[in-house]
Amino acid sequence: MDRGALLDIESEGLLTDRRELDRISSDRSEKDNTMIKEPLLRRRINTTSQIALVGANVCPIESLDYEIIENDLFKQDWRSRKKSQIFQYIFLKWTFALLIGLCTGLVGFFNNLAVENISGFKLLLTSDLLLDKKYVKAFLSFAGCNVVLAAVAAALCAYIAPAAAGSGIPEVKAYLNGVDAYSILAPSTLFVKIFGSIFGVSAGFVLGKEGPMVHTGACIASLLGQGGSHKYHLTWRGLRYFKNDRDRRDLITCGAAAGVAAAFRAPVGGVLFALEEVASWWRSALLWRTFFTTAVVAVVLRGFVEFCRSGNCGLFGQGGLIMFDVSSADATYGTADLLAVIFLGTIGGILGSLYNYLVDKVLRTYSIINEKGAPFKVILVIAISLLTSCCSFGLSWFAKCTPCPANMQEPCPTVGRSGNYKIFKCPPDHYNDLATLFLNTNDDAIRNLFSSGTEKEFYLSTLFIFFVAVYCLGIITYGIAVPSGLFIPVILAGASYGRLVGTLIGSISSLDAGLFALLGAASFLGGTMRMTVSICVILLELTNDLLMLPLVMLVLLISKSVADCFNKGVYDQIVKMKGFPFMEAHAEPYMRQLVASDVVSGPLITFSGVEKVENILHALKMTGHNGFPVIDEPPFSDAPELVGIVLKSHLLVLLKGKVFSRERVLTGDEISQRFGAFDFAKAGSGKGLKLEDLDIQEEEMEMYVDLHPITNASPYTVVETMSLAKAAVLFRELGLRHMCVVPKTPGRPPIVGILTRHDFMPEHVLGLYPLLKPTSRGRK
Amino acid sequence: MDRGALLDIESEGLLTDRRELDRISSDRSEKDNTMIKEPLLRRRINTTSQIALVGANVCPIESLDYEIIENDLFKQDWRSRKKSQIFQYIFLKWTFALLIGLCTGLVGFFNNLAVENISGFKLLLTSDLLLDKKYVKAFLSFAGCNVVLAAVAAALCAYIAPAAAGSGIPEVKAYLNGVDAYSILAPSTLFVKIFGSIFGVSAGFVLGKEGPMVHTGACIASLLGQGGSHKYHLTWRGLRYFKNDRDRRDLITCGAAAGVAAAFRAPVGGVLFALEEVASWWRSALLWRTFFTTAVVAVVLRGFVEFCRSGNCGLFGQGGLIMFDVSSADATYGTADLLAVIFLGTIGGILGSLYNYLVDKVLRTYSIINEKGAPFKVILVIAISLLTSCCSFGLSWFAKCTPCPANMQEPCPTVGRSGNYKIFKCPPDHYNDLATLFLNTNDDAIRNLFSSGTEKEFYLSTLFIFFVAVYCLGIITYGIAVPSGLFIPVILAGASYGRLVGTLIGSISSLDAGLFALLGAASFLGGTMRMTVSICVILLELTNDLLMLPLVMLVLLISKSVADCFNKGVYDQIVKMKGFPFMEAHAEPYMRQLVASDVVSGPLITFSGVEKVENILHALKMTGHNGFPVIDEPPFSDAPELVGIVLKSHLLVLLKGKVFSRERVLTGDEISQRFGAFDFAKAGSGKGLKLEDLDIQEEEMEMYVDLHPITNASPYTVVETMSLAKAAVLFRELGLRHMCVVPKTPGRPPIVGILTRHDFMPEHVLGLYPLLKPTSRGRK
């Protein structure tokens, strides 16, 4: 196979925009398909579903490396803005943090309010019919409501914003790593994410609103940072300072943290979640700003909850913003308890990694269905909804009735919507313990499982049935075209598992069954998501009891360690499956055996410092590259020398401005009069000039344009003999998009090639050098 | 002034080892002294005290860049160790985390136990004498005990390990930034830190054991990582994998986190503290390992506390491991409360930044006294101890007596050591509220201030006097030759300030006075240390109440913001004052106006690939450089080309091995037979070969040695026209020690110069280009 001819094309560009692809690139895609044995769905083209789409519309975002403001021409701009505008910038930064916090808190509360009211209405209707012994009608109304809600959510998702399906955390994580998936932060995605999530959760699926809240927070942050939406003409020119990747990333990190804070009412947990799981680059200043945002969210939520306490919010109850109370459980423990906890953590880790494995398989299966088109997506959602309804209602149907315990503070059986003791079809003064779990919102089910001092509430068989049902439903639900979080299914399955174990070994251990449920949830979270500190803090903030911290830490450590032996964390797995070229923080060990020039190959498309318009247009048309090296040749320098890198987006702006000259001369002054630095500011994702927007006349084709003013004259470079591992570290730590490889020996062209994100991907490197065995992959 | 001649010397090397300095370097130091207007004490030589020493013995540690294992010659070593030894490495890594946790927990507990017993004995003695109305004897015994304890602590510190004075957090922070202060992690420092801290805290100073615990944790980690001490022949050869800077830094980060966890019993707070304040580089894998370490600490401490609960630990009481209980305070609040909290935070921020300012002034004054020698240090400590005793006893003497409140659960007046109601010289059934604060351990005083539901316990005047006294004593105590933490003085002053404000505006706000004390402490911590998330979590873990999280966050945000307008955080200030060349995470804005070659200048000392022994020895003797570029010339390459960088420490090992040849030939094979990769492993700080250890004969001087095998062939390079800001980001993010600047145009020598940490220091850059006005310094 002609590798040299293939690899001269910067791989990332190929995937940017379908319309720009030409013969060369489609040739290449085909060859790539045969070249890489396990394509992981990433080279597929022309798919539309979010899941199957996996990678087709991925475009790495700009690096932190390139700021046009650093160019000589525009330095004056920077100096002049120093005085007053830096304060404006700082003021705006904090205003944004405040706004993100306010909006996310508001949306989080609205989301909860809507879910509580919709599902409350549904459950009340069902329980009224059940009380009247109209069982068939009850089932039909229950399943009917679920299907209608599910269908609405699915239709929103399938027809308006396919990108809103799923959790959204992998996409946000990939964005913050430098990979911008198509329309992942668009206004339509935000709309569908909010309403799809409300309808999806209300439809009684085993899915959560926490992942979508993170995505929602990120979308809000992105929209605010862009000053609204260009498409819907909601924008504000004053925000030009934020039209760069560093500030945008910072805002989105804040947004993700605010999302977690709003979902769990866990401000510290939100900061840690953003730090541990979502962000790829972290700065101390960001910690501080993120913390401010989550504090605002906490205050907003607290305000609303206070407001609702007086009954102003319809059916909005305690379950609204989950806050579980296990603090009454006694937190003293001995050796037997520790052994029980170690056992719980080990099995939890195994089950967690099995969960990841199965989610992966199911996602791959669903992507085939979802690819067939929007109607199929909706049908799949309806099918899963019916299955869920049947499970919930059917399994409860066959459960035994239990006499109500005496001397309870709570009424038993529960009248109304939520509560520990659902009557279902039991005689008076009895309750159906499985219905208590199934015919409730997920939040209430978790609260029931976590409740302490109620050892006898659930039968072993009930817990077992519920655990198996929820574990399986959770797996088959993730991946349907509905915004669906993974936190709640995992906590639900983990809590029932924990309570099951706690009830089983209640004779050995003195710990409360509710505490076991909490520890079980921790073990599942550790086993699937592989976070430690943030989950620990989120659970502490949820349960408001610090005394069980050591036990929670222990369980998390064990389950994460065990699960790490088998596979990656669920979000990493989804990132990989979607084909995002995610840069890991460390270089793979086999990269030490290679040098930079081993993965780069020429010939390369370069421009002269003053280049003919025709050549630029041709290069832009024929390739999908996003960066081109600029080389000065003898008229402008003594010998060929590398000036720097010019970006496609900047080239388009320059060509649009038409500062051309008939002769090959420097026209920098003219350009600096025509353009300000902010004309080159980054447009929102998917926006900005396209090649088709240019209107270059025939006679202009022969003219010249001076590229010096827009060339990044300080690109990061590595020598061709640089160890690939060290080049990868440089690329990753500095968040680059393009890295120039320069020759070691003099007398050769001044640049050997350009390394992009794709050149560091294990698939690419191992495709070139199959003999290098990868070691320790899938571990952190 | 001849700048060119000065700047060819790599500045860092000059400060490494006094004995290596020759005429050139002392010349330079003198000129530097005149060159830099505000020397910040950093160029002073021949001082011995830890405070005045400030920078004289600073040596930047190796970078993460250089691993000899990456050289071709030793790649085989790496490959062969892949199989079994990687598991050994991982196993050891976790064992270390466990051991650090265990040891730090043990030391932390021992520390508390000793302090509680010693100061308990002292306080019991005093209160017995007071009960017998022997007031003079009581004062003499109180002050006498204090002076003796203080003198012992000071003597330990002044004569055995001056590096143990102070908090230690700035030093650990500098170490993790890449600056190794002299003997900061030595075994003697550890010893003095532990015992000095015990005696110092027992002596009743207004200082804490928390900062020293962080330093202790770091020392323990460092010693474990070195496999014990070379000096005392406690070492283990199997630990050679950890003899590099990355692993050592990771261990020390874990140690610092463990220290905080042990000091505050705050495992999550410890992790966050390490992340937010101490570490300069952070990896996700480290979060997870640090978390494990602090979890171990938490378990160890819990075990010991359980053991002591049954009264096995002498006078070890509740105050042992501070855990304050404010959870009974009601956490509902309205607008008036919020306004009060905002007011509290603002004033707290101002007072906090004033605290920093005064600490800085006092430190500079003390450094003059401490410089005069060890006896002066001891005298200063004794003077401060007498002053503290007089304050405590004298101010209490003039305080009013208060009748005991009726219906108290606690006995009043308190019998014995601690408690809320000290009788001092009051009649029966009365107590002296100032004595309750002064004649107690600091931990108990804080607990008394935090106690809720006791609005009437303290007079306004009492709180005011105590606040002023503690604020001033805290400032004058830090800087004396005793291990002294800043947390406790700041919390103490903040808590009394908060309670004062709370009592003052008790009519407006419905919040509890104890809660006000907590918020006051938070505002002072935010105002002095400028941490947010970690202080928030530490306070939450201390008080075990999550419901006041929003208020604590609010106060911290306000006080940090206010204080940031005035000066830097206290630790940053001390780092700067001690003259550590600390690399900030961001480049200074004016660096954008410069390029790399603006701060570097030739001529440079370079070696050939095969160099004459005499030349190497001469270069090592005449300069203090730690890295030399190696250049291959025509016999070995077509044109002069840069091979890489060779480190002084590796050169010394190579010369010691004497693999010389009479001819100018490559002898790589011979070298690889003679040496293994681990022969070049980094020795502990202050250890390793010295130039005097070499014994080169006269005839060997004329022989050649092949430098290729030990040359780092992949140094990170920048082109001379690279923006200095971007070069600084590269240097800082990748944690480099040397960065090569290469020429842009061909036909010149292959290297322009080497940039080191010192070349990026604002003092250096602004010294060269005084017209560049620094903006936004002192902000984060």
Side-chain angles (χ1 to χ4, degrees), chain A residues 65 79 593 714 716 726, chain B residues 65 79 593 714 716 726:
Chain A
D65 171 26
R79 268 183 221 156
Q593 322 245 7
S714 296
Y716 287 104
K726 289 172 88 170
Chain B
D65 169 27
R79 268 183 221 158
Q593 321 245 9
S714 296
Y716 285 104
K726 290 172 87 170

Side-chain angles (χ1 to χ4, degrees), chain B residues 66-338:
Chain B
Y66 193 59
E67 292 182 65
I68 196 144
I69 213 110
E70 275 182 4
N71 282 21
D72 279 331
L73 191 67
F74 298 110
K75 264 188 190 160
Q76 204 51 51
D77 281 30
W78 177 74
R79 268 183 221 158
S80 66
R81 84 169 170 144
K82 247 189 341 188
K83 304 271 157 60
S84 72
Q85 293 177 319
I86 276 185
F87 287 104
Q88 193 181 334
Y89 173 74
I90 291 173
F91 174 75
L92 274 175
K93 224 164 56 174
W94 287 97
T95 312
F96 273 135
L98 179 71
L99 282 177
I100 293 169
L102 284 177
C103 293
T104 312
L106 201 66
V107 169
F109 178 75
F110 171 71
N111 193 324
N112 273 296
L113 187 67
V115 167
E116 289 286 302
N117 276 296
I118 295 175
S119 54
F121 173 78
K122 182 187 76 182
L123 292 170
L124 267 184
L125 187 72
T126 313
S127 76
D128 283 349
L129 289 167
L130 282 171
L131 274 180
D132 301 347
K133 312 269 179 205
K134 295 175 182 161
Y135 299 125
V136 178
K137 260 194 178 169
F139 174 71
L140 288 180
S141 79
F142 179 72
C145 285
N146 282 352
V147 164
V148 170
L149 289 168
V152 172
L156 279 176
C157 198
Y159 290 101
I160 299 181
S167 150
I169 293 177
E171 284 85 356
V172 174
K173 193 175 170 179
Y175 183 91
L176 293 175
N177 189 266
V179 184
D180 192 5
Y182 178 69
S183 84
I184 200 67
L185 297 173
S188 58
T189 309
L190 174 61
F191 172 79
V192 173
K193 204 89 199 183
I194 296 173
F195 289 95
S197 174
I198 290 172
F199 293 127
V201 174
S202 307
F205 283 120
V206 182
L207 52 72
K209 52 190 182 297
E210 281 66 25
M213 269 311 296
V214 175
H215 192 173
T216 304
C219 285
I220 290 173
S222 167
L223 285 186
L224 284 174
Q226 288 177 28
S229 159
H230 280 279
K231 201 170 159 193
Y232 303 109
H233 300 289
L234 299 163
T235 185
W236 177 38
R237 240 190 71 80
L239 298 180
R240 52 193 183 163
Y241 303 127
F242 289 86
K243 294 206 188 297
N244 65 69
D245 286 295
R246 180 191 293 272
D247 285 312
R248 208 163 276 174
R249 262 182 223 175
D250 286 358
L251 288 180
I252 286 167
T253 309
C254 283
V260 177
F264 293 109
R265 252 174 104 180
V268 179
V271 173
L272 287 175
F273 181 84
L275 167 68
E276 187 175 3
E277 184 61 27
V278 183
S280 289
W281 292 278
W282 193 262
R283 299 178 296 127
S284 144
L286 202 54
L287 189 71
W288 162 215
R289 197 134 55 96
T290 317
F291 190 59
F292 175 70
T293 314
T294 58
V296 171
V297 172
V299 169
V300 168
L301 286 182
R302 199 190 163 89
F304 278 115
V305 170
E306 287 290 324
F307 173 75
C308 284
R309 196 164 279 173
S310 41
N312 300 316
C313 304
L315 297 170
F316 183 86
Q318 281 208 311
L321 282 154
I322 41 175
M323 176 73 94
F324 308 115
D325 190 19
V326 264
S327 53
S328 56
D330 191 15
T332 54
Y333 41 85
T335 318
D337 302 323
L338 282 181

Side-chain angles (χ1 to χ4, degrees), chain B residues 611-618 654-663 670 674 693-706:
Chain B
E611 184 59 89
K612 205 185 258 189
V613 174
E614 189 179 12
N615 292 349
I616 297 175
L617 278 178
H618 185 75
L654 188 66
L655 291 178
K656 182 87 180 169
K658 296 196 177 180
V659 191
F660 303 146
S661 59
R662 300 216 167 269
E663 302 301 317
E670 212 181 318
R674 185 75 67 85
D693 300 336
L694 296 184
D695 178 33
I696 307 286
Q697 305 300 317
E698 199 59 46
E699 73 267 19
E700 288 169 332
M701 286 298 220
E702 294 300 310
M703 293 169 83
Y704 290 90
V705 61
D706 184 4

Side-chain angles (χ1 to χ4, degrees), chain A residues 737-749:
Chain A
R737 187 176 182 188
H738 303 100
M739 188 159 70
C740 301
V741 181
V742 296
K744 189 179 181 75
T745 46
R748 288 162 52 196

Side-chain angles (χ1 to χ4, degrees), chain A residues 333 341 345 518-519 522-523 526 531-533 535-537 539-540 546-561, chain B residues 261 265-271 287-299 541:
Chain A
Y333 42 84
V341 166
L518 174 70
L519 295 175
S523 76
M531 288 172 273
T532 49
V533 186
I535 287 182
C536 188
V537 173
L539 284 177
L540 287 179
L546 279 159
L547 294 177
M548 50 192 72
L549 180 64
L551 286 183
V552 174
M553 283 174 108
L554 186 69
V555 159
L556 278 171
L557 287 165
I558 294 169
S559 66
K560 180 184 151 73
S561 308
Chain B
R265 252 174 104 180
V268 179
V271 173
L287 189 71
W288 162 215
R289 197 134 55 96
T290 317
F291 190 59
F292 175 70
T293 314
T294 58
V296 171
V297 172
V299 169
E541 288 188 282

